[in-house]
Amino acid sequence: TNLQVETTKLERVNLEQVLYMDYYNDIAIMVNDQFILMIEHQATINPNMPLRLLEYISRIYGNMMDSKAKFSDKLIPLAKPEFFVFYTGNQDLPSESYLYLSDAFPKDPSENHLSNSELTLELKVKVCKIKSEPPSPVVQNCPDLEQYVRFLKLIDKAKSDGQAQPLTRAIREAVRHNILKDYLERKGGETLSILTAEYDFDTAMAVKQEEAYEEGISIGLERGLEQGAYQTKLETAKLMLGLGIPLEQVQICTSLP
């Protein structure tokens, strides 16, 4: 859509207090009171993003209207939502793909795949791989985003080269090559803090996943031992009863009810 800056009204409608695993929703902008653009920035693909965005847009609509208006006999006009994920990871994906809420619905083998017109609820999220080659259309149409992609590549290179303090090095290199220069000169310290927190979060998540895996093995082993002991008691009880030992003595010996 071609919009003129002078006649375009933008309004932030972010949910500042909505948290999901320590995340705020990233960007929610209403355009000319007609569209709501919701954009999430992700380094890994989250298949539950349609569900998260469904929750976000529901709360945004709720905040935009009088709670009593929903019971009026007059149709409430709603700004049309559009959902995007800017994916910055390196997974092998096309430059543009989609996530659907309906992917989470149970599949009935006896039914043919439902068409969009037959679904009673759907939410479609466009995933834009912004580091793709060739660049995705959204990057080609946005010079600032194109510079951001170049900045991300500087971070990747600094990390792969084993540079000390790769994030700081990438910021310096970006300023030197006039990449997001104005922004990084004004917000370099804040940007470094955000990037450090993001990479620390990725590391923390990897540690948590490893701990959860080890805990799962431990719990599984414990449950397996418990199940094996119970099965042994059952077999012992059957043997004792087969030998004519009184039921009360079997109960005492096996601790079975």
Side-chain angles (χ1 to χ4, degrees):
T1 303
N2 292 318
L3 299 173
Q4 300 302 313
V5 174
E6 298 79 9
T7 58
T8 301
K9 175 187 173 186
L10 302 179
E11 179 185 355
R12 281 175 56 88
V13 290
N14 277 49
L15 294 169
E16 301 295 351
Q17 300 303 318
V18 173
L19 287 171
Y20 183 89
M21 289 180 65
D22 301 326
Y23 274 110
Y24 294 96
N25 74 298
D26 290 343
I27 297 175
I29 297 288
M30 185 154 64
V31 183
N32 288 342
D33 297 322
Q34 294 182 327
F35 299 91
I36 294 177
L37 280 134
M38 300 197 67
I39 303 172
E40 295 291 313
H41 178 289
Q42 295 277 292
T44 56
I45 294 296
N46 186 333
N48 297 309
M49 189 56 73
L51 179 60
R52 287 169 57 180
L53 288 167
L54 176 64
E55 180 182 6
Y56 294 160
I57 192 63
S58 297
R59 296 194 182 191
I60 287 173
Y61 282 147
N63 290 343
M64 291 171 58
M65 66 184 72
D66 184 334
S67 59
K68 296 179 181 178
K70 292 176 286 188
F71 301 96
S72 169
D73 57 0
K74 294 181 180 179
L75 183 66
I76 302 171
L78 298 175
K80 179 185 176 184
E82 297 196 14
F83 306 99
F84 297 87
V85 166
F86 286 173
Y87 172 58
T88 61
N90 298 312
Q91 187 176 335
D92 186 17
L93 293 176
S95 61
E96 293 184 350
S97 56
Y98 293 92
L99 295 172
Y100 296 90
L101 181 66
S102 60
D103 289 339
F105 298 161
K107 304 297 187 290
D108 187 341
S110 65
E111 294 180 358
N112 293 325
H113 183 70
L114 293 175
S115 67
N116 288 341
S117 61
E118 294 175 294
L119 285 168
T120 55
L121 179 65
E122 182 63 287
L123 192 148
K124 177 180 177 182
V125 184
K126 181 182 241 182
V127 179
C128 301
K129 183 179 180 182
I130 65 173
K131 288 200 295 185
S132 65
E133 293 294 345
S136 67
V138 69
V139 173
Q140 292 176 333
N141 291 329
C142 181
D144 286 338
L145 194 55
E146 187 272 335
Q147 288 194 43
Y148 175 58
V149 171
R150 291 170 64 192
F151 176 53
L152 292 177
K153 290 179 178 179
L154 286 177
I155 294 175
D156 289 343
K157 186 175 188 308
K159 290 181 68 180
S160 65
D161 290 346
Q163 296 281 351
Q165 299 181 317
L167 303 178
T168 302
R169 177 66 178 266
I171 291 174
R172 289 175 180 167
E173 284 292 301
V175 171
R176 192 162 69 89
H177 290 91
N178 205 29
I179 298 170
L180 297 178
K181 182 177 179 179
D182 290 344
Y183 179 82
L184 291 174
E185 285 182 337
R186 286 186 292 110
K187 300 275 193 177
E190 182 180 335
T191 302
L192 179 60
S193 176
I194 291 170
L195 289 170
T196 301
E198 179 178 326
Y199 282 101
D200 284 349
F201 178 82
D202 288 342
T203 302
M205 285 301 293
V207 171
K208 285 183 179 179
Q209 288 173 352
E210 184 175 345
E211 289 175 347
Y213 176 72
E214 292 175 353
E215 183 180 356
I217 292 176
S218 176
I219 291 173
L221 179 60
E222 183 178 339
R223 289 179 178 172
L225 290 172
E226 289 176 356
Q227 185 65 30
Y230 179 72
Q231 189 64 35
T232 299
K233 287 182 178 182
L234 288 179
E235 292 173 359
T236 301
K238 289 178 182 179
L239 178 61
M240 293 176 72
L241 290 171
L243 294 173
I245 297 173
L247 179 62
E248 292 77 10
Q249 292 184 26
V250 175
Q251 289 175 323
I252 293 171
C253 292
T254 62
S255 302
L256 290 172

